[in-house]
Amino acid sequence: MMATVAFAELPTPVGPFVLAVTEDGLAASGWGARARLGERLGLAEVHDPDRTAFAVAELNDYFAGELRAFETPVDWRLTSGVRRRVLQALHAVPYGTAVTYGELAERSGSGVPARGIGSIMGSNPIPIVVPCHRVVAGNGLGGFSGGEGVETKRWLLTHEGYLQPTLLDL
């Protein structure tokens, strides 16, 4: 049987978010064009709201402050080798916490230097569920390529209680 992908789009406080779900699980997500995710996966698209419903419900619950650990199955097909090891180690970083690029390098046992971890985070195909926003620099937030960039990262970390709200957030 040929693999297929079903898409769902949902509004979030950090902008419209797209999910791409295969028979095996959530394979890609992010801000921006659904077509871009489809091209990365190279799979035939199907209309299957039942397939995407669980991931959509979990993300809605996350943004409502009611979910701290995702149970949505992850399809790692867009990752391999060292990148997959690093992202799988990241997937285990709990809600409301953060690790530095160097700590994630250590946890993954990948031998990738901290700088290399940053580029792996930038190419994470499944942001939020695989929480690259929880990886911070030793001297601050570090970068973020999703949504509105570092402001999206700041919002997510504040939402999870890792950062305190600033006067601008009130």
Side-chain angles (χ1 to χ4, degrees), residues 114-137:
R115 217 174 252 128
I117 296 293
S119 73
I120 292 171
M121 295 304 99
S123 66
N124 176 11
I126 315 171
I128 300 182
V129 173
V130 178
C132 49
H133 62 278
R134 295 183 191 148
V135 183
V136 297

Side-chain angles (χ1 to χ4, degrees), residues 85-161:
R85 283 179 59 193
V86 169
L87 291 171
Q88 286 176 330
L90 170 63
H91 194 233
V93 174
Y95 180 99
T97 67
V99 294
T100 65
Y101 295 96
E103 288 167 343
L104 183 57
E106 254 179 60
R107 285 185 187 201
S108 69
S110 63
V112 174
R115 217 174 252 128
I117 296 293
S119 73
I120 292 171
M121 295 304 99
S123 66
N124 176 11
I126 315 171
I128 300 182
V129 173
V130 178
C132 49
H133 62 278
R134 295 183 191 148
V135 183
V136 297
N139 61 352
L141 285 181
F144 194 71
S145 57
E148 300 294 320
V150 78
E151 288 310 310
T152 298
K153 183 176 192 169
R154 184 185 319 279
W155 190 95
L156 292 167
L157 290 171
T158 302
H159 173 68
E160 293 186 7

